[in-house]
Amino acid sequence: MGRFTGKVGFVTGGGTGIGFASAQAIVEGGGSVVLAGRREAPLQKAVAELGPSASYITCDVSLNADVEAALEAVNARHGALHLAVNSAGTGTVGSVLNGTVEEFERIQQTTLTGVYRSVRAEAKLMKASGGGSIVNISSIAGSHTHHWMTAYCVAKAGVNMLTRCAADDLGEHNIRVNAVAPGLVPTELSAMLATNEETVNEYLRRMPVSRLGTTQDIANSVAFLLSDEASWVTGLALPADGGHHLRQGPNLLPQFRQLAPEER
């Protein structure tokens, strides 16, 4: 019997990257999963690859109505929710001086407030289901500054504190809440960084285990935290970053000065 046999999962950002790898871990563990994302084509492709234990619903986590409808769909299809992975997020380039308030707020709406919306809706259904486990996808950028990624760093730092607060709030309902904080992992979202040789080398020299991560590396950590093997673990932001968290954040200015206007 698999570690997720008889359990139902929900994964935002589930069509690609870390979200898809996490959904795959749930299915391989014997569970069922509903993928959520804004774009239907990647979701359809992901479900076709995952097989009959997977389904999808289009959902923009920056919209209250979308998140509520997605969890209603999970309940209608499966009658319960036991596992959730909140992987949806977005980023931008900009410092305090050359970024804009509008761009800052846009990033928070998806990458931080979108996680709050999702956790809140997931927790309601998990409470009715007798409990569950939630894993939020954070980042090394939530604990270490990244030059000119201010909005993203703030959002991920918020995810870390949200994880701790939600764990404290929801423990009495038998709901655990943790986070995984990846280092640099090549995905669609990180392609700008992961395809730039100078930037990749800047990350690698700050990692004791000096290699880029894989989506499978992150999914392994997610699966552990979702599983009963971590039944006494809550409120943790687990680094999965080759030890990058032991050192400093990267200097990304050589790349970003080519992409963003000079500070004024």
Side-chain angles (χ1 to χ4, degrees):
M1 187 170 68
R3 66 197 334 189
F4 302 127
T5 298
K7 295 189 176 182
V8 177
F10 174 72
V11 181
T12 71
T16 61
I18 291 169
F20 173 76
S22 299
Q24 190 170 41
I26 292 172
V27 170
E28 289 177 353
S32 301
V33 68
V34 178
L35 311 182
R38 289 182 294 184
R39 297 174 297 156
E40 191 166 23
L43 293 170
Q44 290 175 331
K45 181 179 179 182
V47 165
E49 186 170 344
L50 292 173
S53 294
S55 63
Y56 76 87
I57 183 168
T58 55
C59 172
D60 182 343
V61 298
S62 71
L63 301 175
N64 291 334
D66 272 26
V67 174
E68 291 170 4
L71 272 299
E72 288 172 2
V74 172
N75 192 32
R77 294 174 193 178
H78 297 284
L81 179 66
H82 310 103
L83 314 168
V85 181
N86 296 309
S87 185
T90 189
T92 190
V93 176
S95 73
V96 170
L97 291 178
N98 63 17
T100 66
V101 171
E102 292 76 16
E103 188 71 351
F104 183 90
E105 290 179 337
R106 182 182 71 84
I107 299 305
Q108 307 313 307
Q109 268 297 321
T110 295
T111 308
L112 175 55
T113 311
V115 176
Y116 174 77
R117 286 188 186 93
S118 300
V119 168
R120 188 170 183 271
E122 292 154 2
K124 289 181 178 181
L125 185 50
M126 283 184 179
K127 181 183 176 184
S129 305
S133 178
I134 299 171
V135 177
N136 300 321
I137 303 302
S138 183
S139 169
I140 180 68
S143 58
H144 291 55
T145 61
H146 285 46
H147 286 106
W148 289 21
M149 286 178 57
T150 301
Y152 184 77
C153 289
V154 170
K156 291 301 189 179
V159 168
N160 291 345
M161 181 53 76
L162 171 60
T163 298
R164 295 177 66 190
C165 291
D168 200 14
D169 288 345
L170 299 173
E172 66 179 287
H173 304 298
N174 195 34
I175 299 170
R176 296 183 298 106
V177 187
N178 291 287
V180 174
L184 184 57
V185 176
T187 64
E188 184 179 322
L189 179 63
S190 70
M192 180 180 65
L193 301 176
T195 58
N196 183 288
E197 184 178 359
E198 185 176 7
T199 295
V200 168
N201 288 334
E202 171 66 7
Y203 274 93
L204 292 177
R205 75 183 186 87
R206 299 181 187 274
M207 298 179 195
V209 180
S210 187
R211 67 168 175 85
L212 296 185
T214 67
T215 57
Q216 189 62 55
D217 288 324
I218 309 309
N220 290 342
S221 295
V222 169
F224 166 68
L225 291 172
L226 287 176
S227 76
D228 290 341
E229 296 161 32
S231 63
W232 210 38
V233 179
T234 196
L236 174 69
L238 175 65
D241 59 10
H244 189 166
H245 64 282
L246 300 171
R247 298 182 179 176
Q248 294 176 311
N251 177 11
L252 302 175
L253 289 181
Q255 179 181 6
F256 286 170
R257 286 192 188 280
Q258 303 173 39
L259 302 174
E262 285 297 318
E263 296 178 323
R264 296 184 179 180

